[in-house]
C-alpha cells in the first residue's frame, strides 16, 4: 500500500500499542486522547491531501528507489525542482492545519541519512547505505510517518558527550552484539513522535574519537521494547478537555512534542546506519539541520498566511479595514512572510547533487532562512496582536457566552460591526491567541526560535559558509589595494 488514506493512517496508528505518559497518566495510544488527537489530525492531513487530484503533483512523486507513486514526505529528493516542491508542499500544509504537521522531520532525516551513509560506506566499506535503502523501501511502501530524532538532552553544554557525569545525557551504544546494538539515552522535544510508526535516530553534534559510542544512527518501530514518550505541556492545552471549541482557537489541528526515552533498546544490524564512525556525525547533523532549516521557509510561511488572514479579519470585524495604519501593518506582515518564503525557495533553487545522487539545499541560504525565521514570526505575531486588540486576551470563555445571564451581555458588549456575530469575532481572536500564545505558539513562535537549531547554530554555519576572505579580496581589488 504505497499511499494510505487519512482513515487508514489513523487505523494504522491505533493498532500500535505505545508507552505514552501525559499529565501523570500512562496511555497506549494518541488516537482517542483529546489533547493528542488534534496533533494526529495534522499528520493525517499529509495523507488526505495526497489523495486529492489537485495536489497530486505537490503531495506525491515517483519513488527514486522503486519507481512507485509515493507520498512526497517519504521522498529522496532527485532535483532542485523536488526541493522547491517540498517547500511549496509545506506551505500548503501550514495553510491547511495552522500548526506543525510533524511529518517533515522524518523526510529531512531520510535525505540527510541517505547521502551521509553513502559517503561513510565509501570511506569505511560499511553497509549502512544498503541498510538505509532497504529501510526506505519499507518506509515508502508502508507510507510510514517517521519521527526524525536528533536533539539529545545534552546535560552540561560545556562538556562533550563522553565527558558528562551521567553518560546517558547523549544517546549511546551500551552493548555491541553479533546481531545488533543496544542503545540508551533520550531525545528531547520530539515533534510528532506519538503520531509516528517509526523513529529514525541521529547524533546531535559533531564528535571526536572518544565519543565513538555516541556516533550512532538507526531506526526502530515506535513500540520497540524500552522506548517510551513523555508528552510536553503546551500553553492552554487543557482547554481541549473542556468540551467546547471556541476557546481552543484551532479546534481540529495541533502539534505535539515529547521527551523520548530509549531505555536499553535493541537495534538489529540491518537497521543501523552509523555506529562509531565519529567523523560522519558532523556531516549528518549539518545536512539534517540544513534540510530542516529549509523546511521552516515553507511550514512557518503557511501558518503565517493563516495568522495574517486572521489579523485582517479581526480588523474587518472591528470596522477598520481601510484605516491606513491597519493596511500598512498587514502589508508589513505579508512582506516579512514572503521574505521567509523567498529564502526557502532560494536555498532549494540553489541546491546541488550529493555524491549519493540525492539533492541537498544550499547550506548558507538555508541557514539564512532559519535565522530570519527566528525573528520574523515574532514581528508578524506582534503586528497580529496589535491588530487584534486587547480583547484577544481578556475575552470571556465560551461558557460565559452560552450562559443564560452573562451570555446576552457578552453578545451585546463584545460585538464589532453589525454584520458579524460576536461569536465569529471571538473565534478569530481565539485563533490569533492560539497562534501567538496558545498551543500553536509552540510551533509558530518558540519553535521558530529553537526548532531546527537555536539562532546561534545558524550564525556558526553562516560564518563558516559566508566566505569572508573572498569578500575581502573583492574589496581590495576595487580599492586597488596591494599588500
Ligand atoms: Fe514540519 Fe515545520 Fe513542524 Fe518542522 S516545525 S515538522 S518543518 S511543520
Ligand atoms: Fe521543527
Amino acid at each position: 500500500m504505497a499511499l494510505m488514506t487519512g482513515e487508514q493512517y489513523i487505523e494504522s496508528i491505533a493498532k500500535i500499542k505505545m508507552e505514552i505518559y501525559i499529565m501523570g497518566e500512562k496511555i497506549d495510544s494518541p488516537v482517542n486522547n483529546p489533547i493528542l488527537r488534534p496533533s494526529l489530525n495534522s499528520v493525517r492531513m499529509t495523507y488526505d491531501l495526497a489523495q486529492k487530484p489537485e495536489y497530486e503533483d505537490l503531495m506525491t512523486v515517483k519513488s527514486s528507489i522503486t519507481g512507485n507513486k509515493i507520498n512526497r514526505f517519504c521522498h529522496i529528493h532527485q532535483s532542485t525542482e523536488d526541493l522547491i516542491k517540498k517547500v511549496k508542499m509545506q506551505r500548503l500544509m501550514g495553510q491547511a492545519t495552522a500548526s506543525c504537521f510533524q511529518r517533515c522531520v522524518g523526510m529531512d532525516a531520510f535525505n540527510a541519512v541517505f547521502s551521509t551513509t553513502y559517503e561513510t560506506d565509501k570511506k569505511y566499506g560499511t553497509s549502512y547505505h544498503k541498510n538505509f535503502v532497504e529501510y526506505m523501501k519499507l518506509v515508502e511502501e508502508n507510507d510510514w510517518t517517521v519521527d526524525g530524532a536528533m536533539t539529545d538532552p545534552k546535560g552540561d553544554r560545556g562538556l562533550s558527550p563522553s565527558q558528562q557525569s551521567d553518560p546517558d545525557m547523549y544517546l549511546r551504544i551500551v552493548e555491541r552484539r553479533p546481531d545488533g546494538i543496544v542503545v540508551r539515552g533520550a531525545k528531547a522535544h520530539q515533534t510528532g513522535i506519538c503520531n509516528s510508526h517509526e523513529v529514525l535516530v541521529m547524533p546531535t553534534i559533531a564528535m571526536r574519537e572518544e565519543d565513538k559510542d555516541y556516533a550512532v544512527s538507526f531506526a526502530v518501530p515506535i513500540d520497540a521494547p524500552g522506548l517510551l514518550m513523555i508528552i510536553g505541556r503546551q500553553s492552554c492545552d487543557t482547554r481541549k478537555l473542556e468540551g467546547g471549541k471556541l476557546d481552543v482557537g484551532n479546534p481540529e489541528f495541533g502539534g505535539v512534542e515529547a521527551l523520548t526515552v530509549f531505555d536499553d533498546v535493541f537495534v538489529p544490524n540491518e537497521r543501523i546506519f552509523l555506529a562509531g564512525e565519529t567523523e560522519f556525525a558532523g556531516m549528518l547533523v549539518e545536512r539534517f539541520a540544513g534540510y530542516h532549516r529549509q523546511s521552516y521557509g515553507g511550514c512557518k510561511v503557511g501558518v503565517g498566511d493563516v495568522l495574517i488572514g486572521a489579523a485582517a479579519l479581526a480588523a474587518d470585524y472591528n470596522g477598520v479595514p481601510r484605516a491606513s495604519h491597519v493596511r500598512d501593518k498587514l502589508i508589513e506582515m505579508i512582506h516579512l512572510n514572503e521574505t521567509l518564503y523567498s529564502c526557502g525557495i532560494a536555498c532549494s533553487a540553489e541546491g546541488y547533487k550529493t555524491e549519493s545522487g540525492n539533492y541537498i539545499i544550499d547550506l548558507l541560504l538555508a541557514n539564512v532562512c532559519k535565522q530570519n525565521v527566528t525573528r520574523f514570526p515574532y514581528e508578524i505575531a506582534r503586528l497580529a496582536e496589535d491588530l487584534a486588540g486587547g480583547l484577544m486576551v481578556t475575552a470571556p470563555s465560551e461558557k460565559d457566552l452560552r450562559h443564560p445571564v452573562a451570555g446576552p451581555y457578552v453578545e451585546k458588549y463584545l460585538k464589532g460591526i453589525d454584520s458579524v456575530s460576536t461569536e465569529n469575532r471571538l473565534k478569530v481572536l481565539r485563533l490569533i491567541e492560539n497562534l501567538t500564545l496558545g498551543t500553536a505558539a509552540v510551533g509558530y513562535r518558540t519553535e521558530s526560535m529553537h526548532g531546527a537549531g537555536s539562532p546561534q547554530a545558524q550564525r556558526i554555519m553562516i560564518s563558516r559558509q559566508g566566505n569572508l576572505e573572498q569578500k575581502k579580496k573583492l574589496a581590495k581589488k576595487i580599492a586597488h589595494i596591494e599588500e
Side-chain angles (χ1 to χ4, degrees), residues 152 154-173 204-215 278:
D152 292 275
K154 298 199 284 277
D156 182 337
R157 272 67 172 166
L159 300 174
S160 76
S162 55
Q163 291 168 341
Q164 301 285 330
S165 60
D166 180 343
D168 301 336
M169 294 314 279
Y170 287 76
L171 191 141
R172 66 188 175 123
I173 302 169
T204 203
I205 48 167
M207 288 177 191
R208 279 178 250 143
E209 190 54 26
E210 59 269 27
D211 300 322
K212 229 172 170 20
D213 291 338
Y214 296 88
T278 43

Side-chain angles (χ1 to χ4, degrees), residues 90 100-105 191 292 295-296 299-300 447:
Q90 289 168 312
C100 167
F101 38 90
Q102 309 146 54
R103 204 175 170 187
C104 332
V105 204
T191 295
H292 210 51
S295 287
Y296 279 37
C299 78
K300 299 291 179 263
E447 195 175 47

Side-chain angles (χ1 to χ4, degrees), residues 294-309:
Q294 168 209 25
S295 287
Y296 279 37
C299 78
K300 299 291 179 263
V301 180
V303 178
D305 286 327
V306 177
L307 182 54
I308 294 167

Side-chain angles (χ1 to χ4, degrees), residues 205-382:
I205 48 167
M207 288 177 191
R208 279 178 250 143
E209 190 54 26
E210 59 269 27
D211 300 322
K212 229 172 170 20
D213 291 338
Y214 296 88
V216 61
S217 174
F218 60 87
V220 287
I222 223 66
D223 58 352
L227 191 159
L228 62 98
M229 299 158 249
I230 307 165
I231 302 294
R233 277 218 80 165
Q234 297 177 340
S235 166
C236 310
D237 49 8
T238 44
R239 286 192 191 182
K240 294 176 192 164
L241 302 175
E242 292 169 6
K245 284 187 169 180
L246 199 158
D247 292 348
V248 180
N250 182 350
E252 200 175 337
F253 302 107
V256 65
E257 274 79 24
L259 174 66
T260 304
V261 178
F262 295 77
D263 194 7
D264 291 1
V265 172
F266 174 69
V267 185
N269 283 329
E270 66 274 15
R271 291 291 196 99
I272 300 173
F273 313 127
L274 187 76
E277 295 77 8
T278 43
E279 68 192 274
F280 287 95
M283 180 189 285
L284 188 47
V285 173
E286 195 173 287
R287 289 183 180 178
F288 171 77
Y291 282 120
H292 210 51
R293 289 167 193 172
Q294 168 209 25
S295 287
Y296 279 37
C299 78
K300 299 291 179 263
V301 180
V303 178
D305 286 327
V306 177
L307 182 54
I308 294 167
L313 275 179
D316 287 353
Y317 294 176
N318 280 341
V320 289
R322 275 175 298 280
S324 64
H325 75 98
V326 168
R327 293 174 76 92
D328 193 56
K329 281 163 190 162
L330 290 169
I331 291 166
E332 179 66 7
M333 291 164 89
I334 294 168
H335 162 70
L336 291 170
N337 206 39
E338 298 300 333
T339 304
L340 298 179
Y341 185 56
S342 308
C343 291
I345 295 295
C347 70
S348 307
E350 293 278 285
Y352 59 94
K353 197 176 191 172
T354 68
E355 282 185 42
S356 68
N358 75 340
Y359 271 67
I360 190 164
I361 61 286
D362 179 279
L363 285 172
L364 174 60
L365 294 183
N367 278 278
V368 169
C369 177
K370 174 66 212 318
Q371 183 77 183
N372 282 336
V373 172
T374 65
R375 299 170 180 168
F376 297 177
Y378 284 82
E379 181 62 9
I380 294 171
R382 188 184 75 81

